[in-house]
Structures are given as structure tokens and as C-alpha cells.
Amino acid sequence: MDLSLSCYACGATATLADGPRCDCGEPYWVRTEPSGFDWPATPERSLWRYRDLLPDVDPSGLAAGAGGTPLVRAPRLDDDVGATVHVKYEGANPTGTFKDRGSAVGVAAAAETGDDAVGTVSHGNMARSMAAHAASAGVDCLVLVPADVPTERLSLLARYDPTILRVDGDYGRLYRESLRIGSEAGVRFVNSDAPLRVAGQGTTALEIAESFAPDTPDAVVLPVSSGGHASGVWKAFRDLSTAGVLDRVPRLYFVQAAACAPIAEAWGRGDDVVEPVEAGETVAYSIANADPPSGNRVLAAASETEGGVLAVDDDAILEARRALASSAGLFVESACATALAGARRLGDRGDLVTDDDVVLVATGTGFTEREVDAPGVDAETVPLSALAETVTRVV
Amino acid sequence: MDLSLSCYACGATATLADGPRCDCGEPYWVRTEPSGFDWPATPERSLWRYRDLLPDVDPSGLAAGAGGTPLVRAPRLDDDVGATVHVKYEGANPTGTFKDRGSAVGVAAAAETGDDAVGTVSHGNMARSMAAHAASAGVDCLVLVPADVPTERLSLLARYDPTILRVDGDYGRLYRESLRIGSEAGVRFVNSDAPLRVAGQGTTALEIAESFAPDTPDAVVLPVSSGGHASGVWKAFRDLSTAGVLDRVPRLYFVQAAACAPIAEAWGRGDDVVEPVEAGETVAYSIANADPPSGNRVLAAASETEGGVLAVDDDAILEARRALASSAGLFVESACATALAGARRLGDRGDLVTDDDVVLVATGTGFTEREVDAPGVDAETVPLSALAETVTRVV
């Protein structure tokens, strides 16, 4: 398999063997041929429903279970946001986050080409996802984590039995370093914005669009970190527009945590290049990438779709997380509650209006993060003999 | 809405207003009209795809996100079981378990008929599911829990903001008591084997069957507790058989934890009536129902389909849980690992053979139960400068 790649910024083309980045410095994505694409008639529910817009690989095992997540209406959040609110619940993926879409494509490709192992630079959702998909495919998985990460943070990852290496040194350098080492050692690193991962991540947008077809949502609000998911979503909407199945591309809004918001800051300055920042602490640690490799591509996506990039603080994030559980029945990771916190801000400033259909992408389940902001429990004790009268009183 | 019900045991019919149990003592289920049913052509992914076999209610919000879970091949478990292994991963439901299927139908019905509140007798997966669906629908949710349940066990449930009452007294009596109190106070209790819940739970089987169509799996292995899910699965396969879309009904095998196995013990004695037991401690506490209200119905299902009921011990359950994560990429709740532990036993004794397609129903995610059997983490620390040689050595 040698896929054809292209650069969104300068238009250069390449193959997968050329590596993930263009000479102009920007990341490649996988070229697709969307002309003639239409919604498939198959009952297939996973992301492989959209094979015609995906790399030509054959999924097996867990890969066939990625995607196909629900889009849920959340009417009790409409007034709050000032729009018609839908939530794309990515927690329904096999390891609880959207990362499974990219891992499914990346690991299936590795298995098909006979790579010895797959790898990733992560100690969170992406690592867990890669390890799970590798376990199912019977391929070794190498996970590079910072030397100082607490052992208990690796316990969930260890369930899937990957090879974990703690790397002592500049963890930020690992993104590029891993690619060099991987190509020498026969390990396919499917990092945050690798072309194969981005191709898989785009299926979030394909599913959203098909759920609305023949209509189109007005806006999509997505947490952003490295920019890989954002890039995939943008590319997929462009493909659908090229294919003629969408009359327009939704406005794409990307949300960061205020404590680590390099892309939002660049957007605020009107720049088209993201500068690294010094990251502060945030409850949305999963999206706290201080030097996002696809940051410039996110700025281009926001600009081309007439959307934007914004940042929200931890109080707003935690309040949004509580509201998603208590008003929509969806308990999510703090990082992905940024989508609702951002949508509230967009409503306040008039970027979302009452008639707008807005889709919040809830990128991951909260079950992996139960200890964050745990609520007090308010529960009266009643004797069984007094239950009937108590029930009548409380409901 | 007044649904028509029937008794599997004596054939009596009733309406929903008559309550959930027949005069003969056995539970009713919802009557369906499967004649003429065929697999739908709609791209709908949720359980509402099978509206023709469901109560006539209109889902909104979270209800529309239940079901549509992946069926995943697990080739690395084939040799272990001695059959071709597929896993139906119910952890992909919005609150992480199969319970959402029944809650979706039950809460949608309550919202449609204008009930003041819904209720449930549970402090685990069912409670969380009911609270989430009620939150989305804007209906109050009353959860009755034992007086002595530790507060931290209720913290996850409290995220969805239900009314929790600790009941001091015989918790076992609450199953029936709640129905009486509910009908007086206008609270619709959708307990473990309530007809509306069982109707929703049956969609697990409809999805499995459609995934195999036009073929049929040879066997389905399912953890069993109260017997509600088991009943729904049995009923759904019967319906499909009546409709003529299945050439036969798979053998249904039900698995309990050895420490609390009233249904398996009755099966072992050759009885068709389950006697309550004194429950011991087990890691599979979610399925430790010592007096299962639909236990007799489970015996009938196992008998009619030429399957069986068996029990597995905690060591076998934990080992199966580890294997599902490390060989299939699926991290599940201990209770649902009983399905794999049971399948291994069935393979050993020749009830499953190499050519058999067997479906293990993995009823819930393990993310809610991270602390159980947490693994040690084996991770070497390497300096960045020595990473390349280390990678070459370990992969």
C-alpha cells in the first residue's frame, strides 16, 4: 500500500513513503477522489461505511467496531446555547474516544503491510486506543510516555498489554524523533496528525453529515489539541462538498482550554501561523498541546469555513461537563466539555443563533476520569415502611 | 399507550395497566407482530431501526442514541474457545452498558404518557442508565438504593442528578414494593424485567442476527442476573424465526458467577423453577441476583433453544477479563467477562466446536470498574539519546 498524499497549504503531492510532512513544513493528508461519492446503501454501521473516501485497507477485529457513534439531540441545552443543539457522542467508540477512528485505519494499514509493530507518542486516549487496536490485530504496540508520568496514570493503558517505554528527555521532541526511529526499526508510528490517522478521524464529519442529509448543520464545535481531528473533519466536509452531496460546509469552530491555547491565541491575533506557548495546568489536560503540529491547518479550516477558534477557562469547562450529564445524559471527559463551553460563548456573542443546528463533538467518555470534580451525593435514608409517603413527597 | 402483553409460560394476555406479572406468577413480555418483518432498508443505526418489533413510542434525546453497538471478531480468542469468536460490545451504549436499550424504551414511553417520574431499584448500571435517559428527557428519576451502600458507589450515578433514596429494610422486597408505590405515586418503575425494558433489551439479539444475515450464529453466550436481558434476547430470536428471516434460533447459553448462581443451580438439577440462594461475594457483583425475577424464563429459554446455563468462578472471570483486553482490545466489566469464561468452559466440554460461530455478549465497559484487578505497570525508562537502540531491541 502506498497512498497518495497532498499538502493543503501548497498543493504539493507525495506518497506515504515520503513521510508525513511537506517540504513547506505543513502536514500532508491522504488524497481522496470524492467525485461521484454518494451516501452508501449498505447497512454497515462502522466508519467503514465510507470506504470510498478512506485508504484502501481491509479492517478486521476491533477496527471494524470503530465509528458509527450516535448523534443525540439535547433539547434541554438549546436555551443555554441559543441554538438547536446536537451532540456527537464519541465515547461510544471501543476505547471510549474518537481516537479509535484513526487507530482503526492506522493499525489496519500496518497489519496489512506487515509492519512489525505500531507505535504512538501519548500517555492518554491515543495510547489506549492504539494499544487496543494492536491487541486485536495481533501486532505489537510501542507506547512512548514521559519519564515522570505517575504509574497509576498508565494502569488503564497496561490493560491492553502494550510495550511502554518511559523516555527521559524533551518529550516535545519525540513527535518528530519517533518517526525517524520508527522508520529505521520497522515501527509504524500513527501519531496525532499522521495522514492515516487524519483519514480515519474525518469519518466523524462524514457521519454527522449523513445524519443530517439532505440538510446540512450550520456549525460544528470541536475541541482541538494537535489539530489532527480538526484537519480530518475539515477535509471530509470539503470532500462531501466536492462530491456535491452538501450544498455548503458548516462553520467549524475549534475550542481550547484557556491555560493552553496556542491556536486560539494565533486566531485572536489574526495570524495564520501558530506559535508554541508555555502550557499552564488545566482540567482539559487531554487537549493541552502547547506546540500543535497541525495548528496552522486548524487556522486554515476555521478561516475557510467562516468559523473560528476560541478558548474557555476551567470553570466554564467543568460547568459544561456537569450540564452535559444532568441535562443531556452524557457524562464526558473534561477536555470534550470544552465544546459546550465554547458553544455557550458563541451563542452569547451572536455567532450561533436560534435557528442554527449546531453539533458539539463530545470526543470522549467521562468514565475514564471519574475522579475529576466528583459530586457530593445527596441521599435521604428512609425506612421501607415510610417509603410510599416519602416517594409521594419527593416526586 | 396501552401495550398488549402475554405470558410465555401459560399464554395469558394482558395490558400494561394490568402490571408486569401474570396470575400464574411469571413475568409478561410485550406482544409483537413479527409476521412480515424483514431487515429494514433505513440507514438508522440505533435500536429504533427495529421499530416494527418495538412498542410504538417516539424516542427523542438520548433514547435515540441507544443500541447500534459493534459486533467485533476476536480471532485471537478462537483457539482459546475452540470456535469462531465474535463479541457484541455493549459498552458502546451511552452509559456504557446494555441497560440503555431498555431504559430508552421505558423512559420514552414514560415521557410520552406524561408520567411525573421514572424510577428504578438499582445502585449500579441500571440506575445510571435510567438517570441519564431521564435527564435527557427532562423527566424526574427516582433511584432506590440499599441504606448501607457506600457513598462513593453513588458518585457516578449522582452525575446525572437523579433523586436517590436510601431504603432501610429488606432490599429484596423492593422489586415488588416499588411497583405498588410507583403506581400510586405516578412513578413508572422500569425494573430489571419490566415488559418495556425487556422489549428494548431484545434489540441486542436483533442486531446480532442482522449482522449475520442471511446466516445465523450457532450460539450466543450471555451473562445472566435477573433474567430480563436473557428474556428479551430469547423473545427477539423467536420473533425473527416467526418472521421467517432466521432458519433457526441460536443455542442460548447463560452464565452466572459461581458465588451466586441460582439459575445455573436449577439448570444443573434439571428443574424448571429457580429457588433463591444465599449470595456469596463475587467480582461479578453486577449480576449477583440471588432471587432472579425472570429466572424461570431463563431456564425455558435455555431449554427451548437447546442451550444451557452454567457458572464460572472469580478466577476464571478475571482471567477472561484480562484476555478480552489483551487479545481482543475490549476492556469490559468483570460481570460481562463471564461470557468468555463460560464460552471457554463450553468449548472444553464440547458444547462449542471449531466451526461454530459464537457471539459473546460483552454487556458493559470496564472503565466504570478500573480499580478491580488493576495490573502492575512494566515500563523501562530510557534516555532520549538511547531511544533508537532500545526500540530496535524491544520490538
Side-chain angles (χ1 to χ4, degrees):
Chain A
M1 185 189 63
D2 205 6
L3 289 173
S4 175
L5 308 179
S6 67
C7 174
Y8 80 96
C10 73
T13 59
T15 69
L16 200 56
D18 295 324
R21 293 188 94 85
C22 179
D23 289 342
C24 83
E26 287 299 289
Y28 290 123
W29 55 27
V30 175
R31 289 174 77 183
T32 41
E33 293 177 9
S35 311
F37 175 82
D38 204 352
W39 301 120
T42 160
E44 169 71 57
R45 297 168 199 213
S46 78
L47 63 85
W48 302 98
R49 178 171 179 78
Y50 308 107
R51 274 170 193 273
D52 292 349
L53 295 178
L54 288 173
D56 182 25
V57 290
D58 213 20
S60 68
L62 196 63
T69 62
L71 182 77
V72 171
R73 266 284 283 130
R76 296 184 66 207
L77 295 174
D78 289 356
D79 287 348
D80 195 18
V81 171
T84 302
V85 178
H86 309 255
V87 183
K88 180 69 171 168
Y89 181 58
E90 289 292 292
N93 278 290
T95 71
T97 80
F98 73 102
K99 291 287 187 185
D100 286 328
R101 298 177 183 271
S103 303
V105 174
V107 176
E112 206 162 292
T113 48
D115 292 320
D116 292 334
V118 295
T120 195
V121 180
S122 161
H123 50 99
N125 294 328
M126 185 161 60
R128 197 170 67 241
S129 174
M130 285 294 287
H133 283 268
S136 169
V139 171
D140 284 343
C141 181
L142 178 66
V143 179
L144 306 182
V145 308
D148 60 356
V149 70
T151 297
E152 62 269 23
R153 290 273 292 274
L154 302 176
S155 176
L156 191 50
L157 170 61
R159 299 272 184 181
Y160 303 100
D161 206 18
T163 300
I164 305 175
L165 287 181
R166 292 175 176 277
V167 183
D168 197 3
D170 179 359
Y171 193 66
R173 274 178 55 200
L174 266 183
Y175 168 85
R176 281 169 191 260
E177 195 73 354
S178 67
L179 298 173
R180 187 181 62 76
I181 292 171
S183 73
E184 284 165 16
V187 182
R188 185 187 294 267
F189 274 85
V190 188
N191 290 338
S192 57
D193 69 344
L196 284 165
R197 175 170 297 283
V198 170
Q201 304 300 177
T203 58
T204 311
L206 301 176
E207 290 179 11
I208 290 170
E210 191 179 10
S211 297
F212 279 88
D215 295 330
T216 309
D218 297 285
V220 175
V221 185
L222 188 76
V224 67
S225 178
S226 68
H229 195 191
S231 301
V233 164
W234 180 36
K235 174 73 157 63
F237 278 124
R238 282 163 56 126
D239 279 357
L240 294 176
S241 185
T242 302
V245 298
L246 287 190
D247 52 355
R248 63 200 154 91
V249 169
R251 303 190 303 277
L252 300 182
Y253 294 99
F254 305 104
V255 193
Q256 302 206 280
C260 184
I263 312 176
E265 288 170 19
W267 178 262
R269 290 191 302 265
D271 290 351
D272 54 9
V273 174
V274 174
E275 299 296 336
V277 297
E278 194 72 42
E281 290 290 310
T282 169
V283 292
Y285 54 85
S286 292
I287 56 167
N289 190 324
D291 186 11
S294 280
N296 301 343
R297 194 157 53 172
V298 176
L299 294 173
S303 177
E304 187 180 283
T305 64
E306 300 180 344
V309 190
L310 63 164
V312 290
D313 66 26
D314 278 15
D315 284 349
I317 293 169
L318 289 176
E319 164 48 29
R321 187 174 186 235
R322 290 191 285 268
L324 279 162
S326 64
S327 297
L330 292 167
F331 178 49
V332 303
E333 198 187 18
S334 302
C336 84
T338 53
L340 175 58
R344 284 169 159 171
R345 179 81 62 80
L346 293 168
D348 284 344
R349 71 188 199 196
D351 284 344
L352 292 173
V353 296
T354 309
D355 285 346
D356 278 348
D357 278 306
V358 58
V359 178
L360 315 181
V361 182
T363 43
T365 177
F367 296 143
T368 54
E369 208 189 69
R370 260 183 320 181
E371 65 287 0
V372 175
D373 195 37
V377 176
D378 178 23
E380 185 179 346
T381 301
V382 292
L384 183 53
S385 58
L387 183 59
E389 59 185 276
T390 309
V391 168
T392 306
R393 175 167 54 80
V394 299
V395 297
Chain B
M1 186 188 62
D2 205 7
L3 291 173
S4 175
L5 308 178
S6 67
C7 175
Y8 81 95
C10 73
T13 59
T15 69
L16 200 56
D18 294 324
R21 292 188 95 86
C22 179
D23 289 343
C24 82
E26 287 300 289
Y28 289 124
W29 54 29
V30 176
R31 289 176 77 184
T32 41
E33 293 178 10
S35 310
F37 174 82
D38 203 354
W39 300 120
T42 160
E44 170 70 57
R45 298 167 198 212
S46 79
L47 63 85
W48 301 98
R49 176 172 180 78
Y50 308 106
R51 274 170 193 273
D52 292 350
L53 294 177
L54 287 172
D56 182 25
V57 290
D58 213 20
S60 68
L62 196 62
T69 61
L71 182 77
V72 171
R73 266 285 282 129
R76 297 184 65 207
L77 295 174
D78 288 357
D79 287 347
D80 193 19
V81 172
T84 302
V85 178
H86 309 255
V87 183
K88 180 68 172 168
Y89 181 59
E90 289 293 291
N93 277 291
T95 71
T97 80
F98 74 101
K99 291 286 186 186
D100 286 327
R101 297 178 183 272
S103 303
V105 174
V107 176
E112 206 162 293
T113 48
D115 292 319
D116 292 334
V118 295
T120 196
V121 179
S122 160
H123 50 99
N125 294 330
M126 185 161 59
R128 196 170 69 241
S129 174
M130 285 295 285
H133 283 268
S136 170
V139 171
D140 283 343
C141 181
L142 179 66
V143 179
L144 305 182
V145 306
D148 60 356
V149 70
T151 297
E152 63 270 21
R153 289 274 291 274
L154 302 176
S155 176
L156 191 50
L157 171 61
R159 299 272 184 180
Y160 304 99
D161 206 18
T163 299
I164 305 173
L165 287 180
R166 291 174 175 277
V167 184
D168 196 5
D170 180 358
Y171 194 66
R173 273 178 56 201
L174 267 183
Y175 168 85
R176 282 168 190 259
E177 195 74 355
S178 67
L179 299 173
R180 189 183 60 75
I181 291 172
S183 74
E184 283 165 16
V187 181
R188 184 187 295 266
F189 275 84
V190 188
N191 289 339
S192 57
D193 71 342
L196 284 166
R197 175 170 297 283
V198 171
Q201 304 301 176
T203 57
T204 310
L206 300 177
E207 291 178 10
I208 290 170
E210 191 180 10
S211 297
F212 280 86
D215 295 329
T216 307
D218 297 284
V220 175
V221 186
L222 187 75
V224 68
S225 176
S226 68
H229 196 192
S231 300
V233 164
W234 180 36
K235 174 72 158 62
F237 278 124
R238 282 163 56 126
D239 279 355
L240 294 176
S241 185
T242 303
V245 299
L246 287 190
D247 52 355
R248 62 200 156 91
V249 168
R251 304 190 303 278
L252 300 182
Y253 294 99
F254 305 103
V255 192
Q256 303 206 279
C260 183
I263 311 176
E265 288 169 19
W267 178 263
R269 290 190 301 265
D271 290 352
D272 55 9
V273 174
V274 174
E275 299 297 336
V277 298
E278 195 73 42
E281 291 290 310
T282 168
V283 292
Y285 55 85
S286 292
I287 56 168
N289 191 325
D291 186 11
S294 280
N296 301 345
R297 195 157 52 172
V298 175
L299 294 173
S303 177
E304 188 181 282
T305 63
E306 299 179 347
V309 190
L310 63 162
V312 290
D313 67 26
D314 278 15
D315 285 347
I317 293 170
L318 289 176
E319 164 48 29
R321 187 175 187 235
R322 289 190 285 268
L324 279 162
S326 64
S327 297
L330 292 167
F331 177 50
V332 303
E333 198 187 18
S334 302
C336 84
T338 53
L340 174 58
R344 284 168 159 172
R345 179 81 61 80
L346 292 168
D348 284 345
R349 71 188 199 197
D351 283 345
L352 291 174
V353 295
T354 309
D355 285 346
D356 278 349
D357 278 305
V358 58
V359 179
L360 314 182
V361 183
T363 43
T365 176
F367 296 143
T368 54
E369 209 189 68
R370 261 182 320 181
E371 66 286 0
V372 175
D373 195 37
V377 176
D378 178 22
E380 183 180 346
T381 300
V382 292
L384 184 53
S385 57
L387 183 59
E389 60 185 276
T390 309
V391 168
T392 306
R393 173 167 54 81
V394 298
V395 296

